[in-house]
Amino acid sequence: MDYLKIFSPATVANVSCGFDSLGFAVDEIGDTMTFIKTPQKGVEITNITGANLSYDVDKNAASAVVKKMLLDANADFGIQLTIHKGYSPGSGLGSSAASAAGAAFGTNQLLNHKYANLALTKFAMFGEEIACGSQIADNVAAAIYGGFVLIRSYEPLEIIKLPVPQELRLVAIRPQIEVRTEDARNVLPKEILLKDAITQWANVGGLISGLYSNDYNLISNSLVDIIVEPHRKKLIPFFDEVKNAAIQAGALGAGISGSGPTIFALCKGDKIARNVYNSIEKSYRNKGIDFELFTSKINQEGIKIL
Ligand code: HSE
């Protein structure tokens, strides 16, 4: 294989209660990337569209991953890369992760599937570090594995793929402001109360149990974040209004997607998702901030070859 075109999906990390440890992949939006095998070694980005990102191989999350993998595999070829960003960085939908994970997946194809998904996730986490300073796995793992994932452990890395209830739908609103992941991490407290930790880990357990048992009530009761959301919502204008609008229209729950500013809502079925979409739309209209709104199924397959 000398040429490859892929789609790498956007992702929703944290899913309210699971900071840095839960994520899922989105069906509707993502990055399109191409990979061309070249006889000369090394990596080159030949085109980036859809966002203003660095062409410097060591500073771009995608090319940095390609370079690391080719070196690790001692490859006797190089790769030319193009990246079309389907949505902008700083949105909280795993933009750098889609590029980093797509880079790992695409390079692995040209390396004849040398690496398994866990290794690809580790390479992609390196790209996340380039982009936001931390080796976070929730977005990249969701893009690579598809569906819902749990980062059961970081050291050593262990990823559990979770089931996706059939009727689960996503509604997300992306206010056109940028929140840098690094900044959103800096507003978080270094220590939390034991009683808050108890509430939070009980909700993670409840959410995962709900996914396994298709129990939408349990999913709804568990989509609660008392640790991160109270600090980060201050960075997102009208967060409470949107969340209330979603819940009132029948959403199972709503919260901050990754590090924001995107706000996500999970719903049971298309009809409720439509109501939630309309209700959120109404709540953000006339607020003076441009926004994009979309609904999506949960992406079950992750990155795919086009
Ligand atoms: N779990 C990470 C965070 C995702 O919330 O900071 C970064 O997009």
Side-chain angles (χ1 to χ4, degrees):
M1 185 187 284
D2 290 339
Y3 171 83
L4 183 71
K5 187 174 185 181
I6 62 152
F7 172 81
S8 186
T11 45
V12 171
N14 304 337
V15 202
S16 290
C17 49
F19 180 65
D20 277 1
S21 56
L22 280 173
F24 66 84
V26 174
D27 231 8
E28 294 300 322
I29 57 173
D31 291 351
T32 308
M33 303 170 75
T34 65
F35 301 77
I36 299 175
K37 210 169 179 173
T38 59
Q40 69 278 16
K41 290 188 184 184
V43 196
E44 187 192 3
I45 306 173
T46 54
N47 197 19
I48 302 174
T49 53
N52 188 15
L53 295 175
S54 176
Y55 281 76
D56 182 330
V57 164
D58 295 310
K59 290 190 180 141
N60 181 293
S63 50
V65 169
V66 177
K67 181 174 169 182
K68 194 173 176 65
M69 287 178 73
L70 292 178
L71 281 174
D72 189 83
N74 205 11
D76 60 359
F77 62 90
I79 289 180
Q80 279 183 345
L81 193 62
T82 72
I83 306 165
H84 174 65
K85 300 294 300 174
Y87 59 111
S88 44
S91 60
L93 285 162
S95 177
S96 56
S99 298
F105 177 93
T107 306
N108 196 41
Q109 297 288 317
L110 298 187
L111 288 167
N112 290 321
H113 311 273
K114 180 175 168 61
Y115 299 103
N117 279 349
L118 192 67
L120 294 186
T121 306
K122 286 184 193 163
F123 283 121
M125 286 166 70
F126 173 72
E128 283 285 67
E129 188 173 11
I130 301 283
C132 70
S134 306
Q135 291 223 4
I136 317 162
D138 46 10
N139 286 112
V140 290
I144 289 169
Y145 288 76
F148 273 84
V149 291
L150 168 72
I151 318 305
R152 217 280 308 155
S153 155
Y154 271 83
E155 291 282 345
L157 188 66
E158 185 182 340
I159 315 279
I160 316 279
K161 192 164 157 66
L162 305 169
V164 179
Q166 274 295 317
E167 290 184 86
L168 212 53
R169 298 289 179 270
L170 166 72
V171 181
I173 176 165
R174 189 161 71 78
Q176 305 285 294
I177 57 166
E178 186 182 346
V179 173
R180 292 177 61 240
T181 298
E182 211 174 336
D183 298 338
R185 293 180 84 78
N186 284 339
V187 301
L188 300 179
K190 297 278 171 286
E191 287 170 9
I192 57 169
L193 293 174
L194 180 61
K195 74 175 178 46
D196 291 345
I198 293 166
T199 303
Q200 196 87 351
W201 64 51
N203 280 326
V204 173
L207 178 53
I208 291 174
S209 178
L211 294 174
Y212 272 99
S213 57
N214 281 300
D215 185 336
Y216 290 91
N217 277 335
L218 181 54
I219 291 171
S220 178
N221 292 341
S222 309
L223 280 171
V224 177
D225 171 12
I226 62 160
I227 289 177
V228 173
E229 187 178 291
H231 298 280
R232 283 188 168 172
K233 71 177 185 178
K234 298 168 195 151
L235 305 174
I236 306 171
F238 311 108
F239 173 82
D240 286 327
E241 274 109 312
V242 172
K243 182 169 174 168
N244 290 339
I247 306 282
Q248 269 161 28
L252 298 168
I256 303 170
S257 174
S259 52
T262 294
I263 302 165
F264 80 97
L266 284 174
C267 308
K268 183 183 179 189
D270 291 320
K271 190 162 170 265
I272 294 176
R274 262 196 308 280
N275 290 342
V276 169
Y277 180 103
N278 291 335
S279 179
I280 292 179
E281 208 269 335
K282 214 167 135 198
S283 78
Y284 228 76
R285 227 187 269 155
N286 308 323
K287 289 281 196 270
I289 300 172
D290 288 341
F291 61 91
E292 282 170 8
L293 195 59
F294 67 92
T295 66
S296 171
K297 289 187 178 168
I298 311 303
N299 172 331
Q300 304 258 21
E301 58 180 329
I303 301 166
K304 63 180 179 210
I305 296 173
L306 298 176

